[in-house]
Amino acid sequence: GFFLLLGLLALGYLAIKLGKMEVVGSSGYTVHATFSNVAGLRVGSPVEIAGVDIGWVEAIRLRNYQAVVDFRIKDGVQLPEDSIASIRTKGLIGEQLVKISPGGAEQNLRPGDEIRETEPPVDIMELIANYAFGKI
């Protein structure tokens, strides 16, 4: 019985660490952005600046036929008000992530603020179809 309990605890620990799950009440603050399309972005996807992980996607919801994405940003990371959020792919066919390009504004985003400038992901299948049918 003891070894079974120990095994279940070890399995739970690995699931949390490898699944990049965050504990409820994690530190940091939330900001959001609205995208016309999030194509493949998932809750838990990383948020990066210059390739450095600064947070993760906390929630994705639909509002007025557009996707609103909530980001949990780690404590100590300040985002200027004019930052740009874009959805990118890690590698050629890798996972989706949110790339933040910091702006030059002197004011920073506060918890609950919105990143106003966004760029949706590039649709590879649409590009291939346009090329195949001579639309490029």
Side-chain angles (χ1 to χ4, degrees):
F2 174 73
F3 290 110
L4 179 63
L5 180 62
L6 188 63
L8 289 174
L9 288 173
L11 185 62
Y13 175 78
L14 285 174
I16 289 172
K17 285 300 181 185
L18 295 177
K20 296 182 182 177
M21 293 175 60
E22 299 295 333
V23 179
V24 175
S26 296
S27 63
Y29 63 99
T30 302
V31 295
H32 62 274
T34 302
F35 293 90
S36 60
N37 183 1
V38 292
L41 188 68
R42 303 272 184 249
V43 170
S45 295
V47 177
E48 298 180 350
I49 292 178
V52 177
D53 187 18
I54 61 154
W56 62 92
V57 174
E58 193 169 53
I60 302 172
R61 62 189 185 284
L62 189 64
R63 182 177 65 202
N64 296 328
Y65 303 107
Q66 293 197 326
V68 178
V69 181
D70 295 331
F71 313 114
R72 172 68 65 166
I73 305 298
K74 294 178 182 177
D75 282 332
V77 177
Q78 297 297 318
L79 300 176
E81 281 184 331
D82 59 346
S83 296
I84 301 170
S86 47
I87 299 174
R88 298 287 184 247
T89 303
K90 205 177 250 190
L92 187 58
I93 54 173
E95 69 174 326
Q96 300 284 66
L97 61 92
V98 177
K99 177 184 171 202
I100 305 288
S101 301
E106 292 185 21
Q107 296 290 342
N108 291 324
L109 292 170
R110 294 183 311 251
D113 282 353
E114 180 174 7
I115 298 175
R116 292 183 184 92
E117 295 291 326
T118 61
E119 297 175 351
V122 175
D123 188 352
I124 299 296
M125 295 307 291
E126 185 178 331
L127 288 175
I128 292 170
N130 286 341
Y131 180 75
F133 294 112
K135 294 182 180 179
I136 293 183

